[in-house]
Amino acid sequence: MGFEVTLRAMPVAAAAGLAELSPDDDGTFEILAAIEGGARLTCSLDRRFDWLRFVLAGLIGPQMAEAAVFGQAVVAPGLRASQGFAYRWNDGPAVAAIAASLDRLDPTAVRRAVDLPAMAAAGVYKIGQADAAVLPAGVAADFAALQGFYRQTVARGLAVLVTRD
């Protein structure tokens, strides 16, 4: 089983409370579990998350790609999911900026930007397991899902919690 990145839309009020969480406080994981369990709008990138992030970095810049896929800010220093990755999130303004960046692209442009040799040379996670014949279409499909997720999140005025586990 590989790692998975899951983005969950959440109310801005819940997101505001994220900055106050601490790994040492009782109830922190219960709060995160409630946010995760209550999310009606999600986007799962399975183990392909790094493939999409790599391609997006070349199209919208590394910082915006990182924020889109992994979240812009750490929820609380030292607060980690079961695999050891920090919980991250995007507030309302970050969600709007990410959505605008993604909306400047389309799946065809993303498909054309897939460069398997460059990805392999960069050591992108699990790229050696990718089927070159379907990789561009898979990355483009993941992009379309991510783009749709951010469009809906902006339309609903929500923030985003990102887990990598």
Side-chain angles (χ1 to χ4, degrees):
M1 182 165 133
F3 295 117
E4 180 175 313
V5 168
T6 304
L7 298 96
R8 293 175 178 88
M10 63 182 171
V12 172
L18 292 178
E20 299 170 14
L21 294 180
S22 166
D24 300 324
D25 291 343
D26 291 339
T28 290
F29 286 102
E30 288 81 7
I31 291 167
L32 290 169
I35 292 169
E36 291 174 4
R40 292 193 171 101
L41 177 58
T42 64
C43 180
S44 177
L45 297 177
D46 194 35
R47 66 170 36 173
R48 302 172 306 267
F49 56 85
D50 224 12
W51 305 355
L52 178 58
R53 186 206 48 81
F54 182 88
V55 172
L56 288 178
L59 296 169
I60 61 174
Q63 284 183 296
M64 189 61 70
E66 183 81 10
V69 175
F70 294 133
Q72 182 180 47
V74 172
V75 169
L79 184 60
R80 307 233 176 260
S82 62
Q83 294 284 345
F85 292 100
Y87 284 90
R88 297 182 67 89
W89 70 293
N90 292 318
D91 63 12
V95 168
I98 292 165
S101 290
L102 296 177
D103 276 344
R104 288 193 283 275
L105 303 174
D106 63 51
T108 301
V110 171
R111 188 180 306 114
R112 280 187 280 211
V114 173
D115 183 344
L116 183 57
M119 294 167 87
V124 173
Y125 179 72
K126 299 278 188 179
I127 197 64
Q129 297 177 1
D131 180 344
V134 297
L135 178 64
V139 171
D142 285 340
F143 163 75
L146 188 70
Q147 183 184 49
F149 169 80
Y150 275 104
R151 281 179 178 163
Q152 291 178 51
T153 302
V154 165
R156 296 177 186 180
L158 300 170
V160 173
L161 176 67
V162 183
T163 56
R164 182 172 17 167
D165 226 4

